[in-house]
Amino acid sequence: AKQEDYISFVDYKLDAVLYSLKYRLKHKHNPKTSIEISVVSGDLKSGEYRYDLYPYENKTVLIYSIRASATDTSFLLRKIVKKQPTMDEAINISTAIITLNNIRDALKKRHKDK
């Protein structure tokens, strides 16, 4: 398949306690090496996310990178980050932890189901 065959667009709707977000992300899949994700449109104005896969012994190491700003998502988060600038980084870190925990749990379930 050609490289462009590995590009997909995914629409998301995230319902949070105080607000909801709708946005579209572009996923560029590089088989067995990485997935590059970028914001295309919607309530998110910017953001880049990346999964890199590295073989290590009989396993695969997953590295997840995120570069985004919470101030792009809502008026409330802009106010919070303006008063406490470190919250922007804290939101990225907590998002990364939640994402990686969900991946770990899904892989454990998949392994258990086999």
Side-chain angles (χ1 to χ4, degrees):
K2 297 177 186 174
Q3 185 65 27
E4 58 265 21
D5 292 340
Y6 297 109
I7 293 176
S8 58
F9 295 88
V10 181
D11 293 322
Y12 291 85
K13 182 177 181 205
L14 173 66
D15 290 318
V17 175
L18 298 174
Y19 61 93
S20 65
L21 299 172
K22 289 183 183 179
Y23 53 94
R24 175 174 279 195
L25 299 180
K26 176 183 174 183
H27 292 233
K28 180 180 176 192
H29 301 259
N30 301 305
K32 299 183 181 181
T33 61
S34 68
I35 302 172
E36 301 169 26
I37 303 168
S38 57
V39 173
V40 175
S41 62
D43 294 324
L44 295 181
K45 303 304 177 208
S46 65
E48 295 176 3
Y49 315 88
R50 184 178 178 98
Y51 296 91
D52 288 294
L53 304 168
Y54 298 98
Y56 177 73
E57 296 178 353
N58 292 337
K59 299 180 181 182
T60 300
V61 175
L62 169 69
I63 297 178
Y64 176 62
S65 308
I66 180 171
R67 193 173 77 191
S69 176
T71 60
D72 285 345
T73 59
S74 79
F75 173 77
L76 178 61
L77 288 176
R78 271 194 296 281
K79 290 290 189 189
I80 292 170
V81 170
K82 187 174 182 179
K83 287 186 178 230
Q84 185 61 267
T86 57
M87 284 300 293
D88 204 23
E89 188 173 330
I91 291 168
N92 278 333
I93 291 169
S94 61
T95 300
I97 290 169
I98 291 167
T99 300
L100 292 173
N101 284 339
N102 286 331
I103 291 169
R104 181 199 62 214
D105 294 347
L107 290 172
K108 281 183 178 179
K109 184 180 183 322
R110 183 182 296 175
H111 181 71
K112 185 178 177 182
D113 291 345
K114 284 185 177 182

